[in-house]
């Protein structure tokens, strides 16, 4: 990657959408085009898609670090076994590169919007910038923020702000942006999330504020409480219709990278739901079990044919444990005592044929929507805030029930094949209330549900991030030979690989603040023990 690329507003292909489903594109360069003539709204959709479409990166790392997916395929060894594959550097860099690219769109959007007096667009752009930078800092730690995205001014070696200062700034900026929204002001004409609905943007902003506040609860509980209560009072999501979801359209080249990646032959054959997740769903008689998972048809040929549906019978679902291979040695999964057996015979044998995979009809559409932030997550976080004794309207038990019901119903956004009725979802939530016998019991239940909810919505980075914050669920680390963590679950991503040569002074300062250096095991600021 060329020096400064991440900190320059990039002139790439931009969406020219006027509604949430219009993906026609034009080739425009926001640097070359006169700002007075350029429609800054075009940058909103691009920044939204850039954030949502994490593709292979979250599959190769966080999906398996959080033990939601599992794979015997060596290409997934980075995630499943914490063992470096040949492509680890590229995917280690991907989140950094893509999110800074998205943040550059948002930054330029805010600049142009302010020049033209577009109040609402400036606020939406600020929220998108914060959303993208939070993604980056949550994965890497201290990163460029106050001096980032200013390549047009000649700033190519930005300082790395401490994560503490980043979060303090983000929360303050978020509050200012939310308060500036004005329904009577400019219209958002290229909004993939809400079609320009300002009321929903305000709820999105407050929901992001809540999530950001809860992230820092161990590192700065006073600031966390202050902003969590502000978010609750301001008005977070009120129902699943408020979910922030990014549509995709594979026909225009703007498809769902995660779903598309899983349809690669080797991935489709060897990526399964994890044992911890399937065991969790079965233990709770969760209605999502036979919506989200299926056992492939028998035999290698049919079992790896994405056009053929599998068997969704709950009793047949088996999650695949992490940390195994098909290499014939002691870590060969077929040698486990609980190995469910292969399917097919002869050349058609399928060793992984009885392990559950993500349901084809639900997850593997190349134009499947991508979840950004949901009502279910927000309600679960409000439940935790209530358990902590913070001031929020409603009890912890009520917020938890709302979150569980919403989690089940949200799956229908993927496909009608995943629809769980409100009546079924509410009945399940009523039958599985929050355990309020102790604070510890409540925290465990809330955060395990948060993990499962995000995993089943394919929001793997958020599931892994909240696992680091909360410690739930309790995961058994993989200790595969040659792993790069000493047999512990990774707690961050190593910095973008060229930073040591292109921004050496600031990179070195940031690494010096990490206990343990630029490793996958170093804890970032909010990941306090």
């Amino acid at each position: 990657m060329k020096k400064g690329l991440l900190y320059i507003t990039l002139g790439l292909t931009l969406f020219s959408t006027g509604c949430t489903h219009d993906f026609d594109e034009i080739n425009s360069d926001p640097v070359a085009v006169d700002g007075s003539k350029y429609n800054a709204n075009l940058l909103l959709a691009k920044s939204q898609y850039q954030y949502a479409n994490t593709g292979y990166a979250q599959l190769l790392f966080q999906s398996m670090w959080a033990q939601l997916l599992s794979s015997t395929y060596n290409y997934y060894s980075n995630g499943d076994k914490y063992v470096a594959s040949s492509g680890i550097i590229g995917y280690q860099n991907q989140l950094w590169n893509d999110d800074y690219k998205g943040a550059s769109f948002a930054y330029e959007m805010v600049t142009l919007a302010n020049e033209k007096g577009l109040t609402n667009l400036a606020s939406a752009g600020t929220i998108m910038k914060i959303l993208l930078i939070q993604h980056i800092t949550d994965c890497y730690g201290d990163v460029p923020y106050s001096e980032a995205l200013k390549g047009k001014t000649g700033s190519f070696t930005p300082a790395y702000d401490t994560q503490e200062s980043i979060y303090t700034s983000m929360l303050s900026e978020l509050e200012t942006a939310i308060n500036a929204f004005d329904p009577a002001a400019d219209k958002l004409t290229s909004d993939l999330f809400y079609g320009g609905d300002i009321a929903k943007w305000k709820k999105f902003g407050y929901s992001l504020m809540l999530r950001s506040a809860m992230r820092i609860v161990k590192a700065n509980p006073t600031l966390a409480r202050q902003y969590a209560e502000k978010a609750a009072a301001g008005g977070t999501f009120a129902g699943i219709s408020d979910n922030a979801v990014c549509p995709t359209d594979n026909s225009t080249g703007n498809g769902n990278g995660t779903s598309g990646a899983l349809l690669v032959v080797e991935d489709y054959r060897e990526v399964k739901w994890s044992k911890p997740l399937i065991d969790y769903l079965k233990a709770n008689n969760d209605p999502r079990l036979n919506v989200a998972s299926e056992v492939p048809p028998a035999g290698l040929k049919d079992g790896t044919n994405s056009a053929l549906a599998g068997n969704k019978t709950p009793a047949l679902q088996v999650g695949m444990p992490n940390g195994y291979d098909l290499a014939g040695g002691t870590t060969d999964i077929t040698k486990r005592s609980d190995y469910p057996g292969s399917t097919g015979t002869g050349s058609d044998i399928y060793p992984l044929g009885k392990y559950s995979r993500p349901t084809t009809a639900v997850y593997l559409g190349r134009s499947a929507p991508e979840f950004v932030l949901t009502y279910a997550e927000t309600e679960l976080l409000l439940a935790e805030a209530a358990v902590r004794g913070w001031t929020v309207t409603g009890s912890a038990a009520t917020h938890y029930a709302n979150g569980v019901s919403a989690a089940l119903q949200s799956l229908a956004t993927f496909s009608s094949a995943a629809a769980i009725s409100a009546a079924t979802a509410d009945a399940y939530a009523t039958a599985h209330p929050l355990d309020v016998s102790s604070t510890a019991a409540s925290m465990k239940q809330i955060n395990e549900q948060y993990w499962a909810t995000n995993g089943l919505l394919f929001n793997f980075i958020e599931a892994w991030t909240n696992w680091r914050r909360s410690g739930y669920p309790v995961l058994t680390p993989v200790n595969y030979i040659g792993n790069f963590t000493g047999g512990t679950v990774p707690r961050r991503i190593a910095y973008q690989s060229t930073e040591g040569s292109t921004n050496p002074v600031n990179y070195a300062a940031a690494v010096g603040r990490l206990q343990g250096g630029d490793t996958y095991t170093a804890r970032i600021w909010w990941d306090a023990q």
Side-chain angles (χ1 to χ4, degrees):
M1 187 181 114
K2 295 181 180 179
K3 182 177 181 179
L5 178 61
L6 299 179
Y7 315 115
I8 302 174
T9 299
L10 304 177
L12 301 180
T13 302
L14 305 177
F15 289 110
S16 59
T17 56
C19 67
T20 58
H21 298 290
D22 181 3
F23 279 81
D24 293 335
E25 295 181 12
I26 61 173
N27 292 318
S28 301
D29 185 342
V31 177
V33 176
D34 185 340
S36 65
K37 299 177 181 178
Y38 188 77
N39 182 359
N41 273 278
L42 300 178
L43 291 159
L44 177 55
K46 186 60 179 176
S47 66
Q48 291 172 320
Y49 178 74
Q50 194 72 37
Y51 173 85
N53 194 45
T54 49
Y56 249 134
Q58 67 165 347
L59 282 177
L60 289 174
F61 292 97
Q62 290 88 357
S63 73
M64 297 179 192
W65 288 350
Q67 296 184 11
L68 289 157
L69 293 177
S70 176
S71 182
T72 57
Y73 185 28
N74 59 11
Y75 195 61
Y76 283 89
S77 61
N78 304 295
D80 187 74
K81 303 169 184 64
Y82 333 139
V83 174
S85 72
S86 58
I88 188 172
I89 298 300
Y91 292 112
Q92 166 188 313
N93 294 347
Q94 182 180 342
L95 192 76
W96 176 287
N97 293 353
D98 288 354
D99 278 351
Y100 266 119
K101 187 187 298 181
S104 74
F105 293 132
Y107 180 83
E108 184 72 8
M109 175 171 49
V110 173
T111 300
L112 293 172
N114 283 331
E115 289 175 359
K116 298 180 180 185
L118 302 176
T119 302
N120 290 328
L121 186 61
S123 289
T126 298
I127 290 174
M128 286 308 305
K129 183 193 73 171
I130 291 168
L131 186 70
L132 285 148
I133 295 294
Q134 185 184 59
H135 227 204
I136 301 167
T137 187
D138 284 348
C139 287
Y140 297 93
D142 296 355
V143 296
Y145 184 60
S146 60
E147 295 181 8
L149 313 173
K150 298 179 181 178
K152 288 169 63 177
T153 66
S155 176
F156 299 131
T157 55
Y160 283 55
D161 299 78
T162 65
Q163 188 174 65
E164 180 176 13
S165 68
I166 291 171
Y167 260 87
T168 302
S169 295
M170 288 195 303
L171 287 164
S172 176
E173 289 180 56
L174 194 54
E175 183 176 15
T176 300
I178 295 168
N179 289 336
F181 275 123
D182 180 0
D186 57 292
K187 307 300 181 185
L188 304 180
T189 60
S190 185
D191 174 15
L192 298 179
F193 292 174
Y194 298 119
D197 189 323
I198 299 303
K200 287 186 181 292
W201 268 95
K202 291 191 73 170
K203 286 189 279 189
F204 177 49
Y206 280 122
S207 297
L208 179 60
M209 179 186 289
L210 173 66
R211 190 178 75 177
S212 302
M214 297 304 290
R215 195 82 90 222
I216 64 173
V217 69
K218 291 181 180 178
N220 190 335
T222 301
L223 190 65
R225 178 172 186 169
Q226 175 188 345
Y227 277 96
E229 291 181 345
K230 282 185 180 183
T236 55
F237 291 152
I240 59 175
S241 63
D242 292 331
N243 288 351
V245 179
C246 185
T248 70
D249 185 350
N250 194 60
S251 69
T252 65
N254 301 295
N256 185 311
T258 306
S259 297
L262 279 176
L263 283 169
V264 174
V265 174
E266 291 84 357
D267 304 57
Y268 191 68
R269 183 178 66 219
E270 298 196 44
V271 174
K272 307 294 183 182
W273 284 124
S274 72
K275 177 176 171 55
L277 179 63
I278 296 297
D279 286 353
Y280 173 85
L281 296 176
K282 292 181 80 170
N284 289 285
N285 296 313
D286 196 306
R288 289 172 292 185
L289 178 63
N290 68 330
V291 166
S293 61
E294 63 184 14
V295 176
L300 182 62
K301 181 180 178 182
D302 288 348
T304 56
N305 182 348
S306 61
L308 299 178
N311 189 328
K312 297 190 291 183
T313 303
L316 297 180
Q317 304 310 312
V318 180
M320 191 165 76
N322 296 88
Y324 288 85
D325 54 40
L326 288 170
T330 57
T331 51
D332 190 307
I333 199 164
T334 65
K335 296 183 178 181
R336 280 181 59 98
S337 60
D338 60 356
Y339 172 61
S342 60
T343 60
T345 58
S347 61
D348 194 43
I349 196 166
Y350 187 14
L352 306 178
K354 292 186 178 180
Y355 284 117
S356 300
R357 69 186 182 194
T359 312
T360 302
V362 175
Y363 294 102
L364 299 189
R366 293 185 184 273
S367 295
E370 297 177 304
F371 285 88
V372 174
L373 183 60
T374 66
Y375 172 60
E377 294 171 70
T378 300
E379 285 296 291
L380 292 171
L381 292 174
L382 286 172
E384 179 177 329
V387 168
R388 293 180 179 277
W390 297 354
T391 303
V392 299
T393 301
S395 68
T398 297
H399 284 298
Y400 179 77
N402 291 342
V404 171
S405 180
L408 272 58
Q409 294 181 65
S410 292
L411 282 171
T413 305
F414 281 121
S415 165
S416 59
I420 296 174
S421 71
T424 297
D426 288 344
Y428 176 78
T430 299
H432 296 80
L434 181 65
D435 182 351
V436 294
S437 62
S438 68
T439 296
S442 295
M443 291 294 188
K444 176 179 183 292
Q445 190 175 358
I446 290 167
N447 286 288
E448 285 181 347
Q449 181 61 236
Y450 195 94
W451 166 79
T453 294
N454 277 290
L456 291 166
L457 295 179
F458 268 27
N459 197 347
F460 300 121
I461 292 174
E462 181 60 25
W464 170 65
T465 297
N466 194 68
W467 168 80
R468 288 180 291 154
R469 179 192 75 89
S470 69
Y472 295 111
V474 176
L475 302 176
T476 301
V478 168
N479 197 7
Y480 195 88
I481 188 170
N483 73 80
F484 51 70
T485 67
T488 61
V489 180
R491 305 200 74 89
R492 65 181 289 272
I493 305 176
Y495 281 126
Q496 209 277 353
S497 61
T498 65
E499 283 291 286
S501 58
T502 60
N503 194 6
V505 174
N506 292 313
Y507 165 78
V511 172
R513 293 192 292 267
L514 281 168
Q515 187 173 5
D518 188 13
T519 65
Y520 285 81
T521 56
R523 287 178 179 261
I524 58 179
W525 169 71
W526 59 248
D527 186 15
Q529 289 179 294

